[in-house]
């Protein structure tokens, strides 16, 4: 994740938190995002383990834990989403792209009879 992506995701999370939409979740998300971006420079390994395990009967703590895990997993999630294709449009495989190029050179798709 580059600095621009990090800042963009942080701004989105702050906006969502400030709008009152699950403020505990977004607080945890921002912390997880910081841990992902700054790695070991942000928090300790022990704190990281505690945040990852943060679930329980207190809904506020559980929301922070879910947010932290989601923020920390953002990079992995983004990579998985890119592999599956973008929402609203699909990403073609190399084989499909090659076939489309070949069809274009041959004059396009064959006509249906």
């Amino acid at each position: 994740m580059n600095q621009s992506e990090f800042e963009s995701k942080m701004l989105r999370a702050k906006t969502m938190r400030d709008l009152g939409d699950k403020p505990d979740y977004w607080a945890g998300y921002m912390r997880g995002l910081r841990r992902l971006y700054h790695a070991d420079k942000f928090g300790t390994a022990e704190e990281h383990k505690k945040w990852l395990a943060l679930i329980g009967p207190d809904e506020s703590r559980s929301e922070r834990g879910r947010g932290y895990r989601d923020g920390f997993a953002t990079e992995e999630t983004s990579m998985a989403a890119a592999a599956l294709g973008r929402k609203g449009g699909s990403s073609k495989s190399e084989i499909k792209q090659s076939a489309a190029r070949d069809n274009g050179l041959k004059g396009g798709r064959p006509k249906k009879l």
Side-chain angles (χ1 to χ4, degrees), residues 66-107:
R66 278 191 285 277
Y68 183 84
R69 287 187 299 277
D70 288 350
F72 186 73
T74 298
E75 186 79 5
E76 183 178 305
T77 304
S78 296
M79 291 168 56
L84 293 174
R86 293 198 169 111
K87 191 173 185 178
S90 63
S91 176
K92 292 183 180 179
S93 70
E94 183 57 40
I95 293 170
K96 286 185 178 181
Q97 289 175 352
S98 176
R101 278 192 300 271
D102 292 345
N103 283 338
L105 294 173
K106 294 176 184 174

Side-chain angles (χ1 to χ4, degrees), residues 34-92:
R34 284 185 191 104
R35 176 65 183 195
L36 175 68
Y37 182 69
H38 297 292
D40 293 336
K41 295 175 187 172
F42 183 81
T44 66
E46 184 66 28
E47 288 174 329
H48 178 61
K49 287 179 188 176
K50 287 180 181 179
W51 275 89
L52 287 174
L54 194 60
I55 53 173
D58 180 8
E59 186 60 28
S60 174
R61 291 176 61 119
S62 292
E63 280 293 303
R64 284 179 179 262
R66 278 191 285 277
Y68 183 84
R69 287 187 299 277
D70 288 350
F72 186 73
T74 298
E75 186 79 5
E76 183 178 305
T77 304
S78 296
M79 291 168 56
L84 293 174
R86 293 198 169 111
K87 191 173 185 178
S90 63
S91 176
K92 292 183 180 179

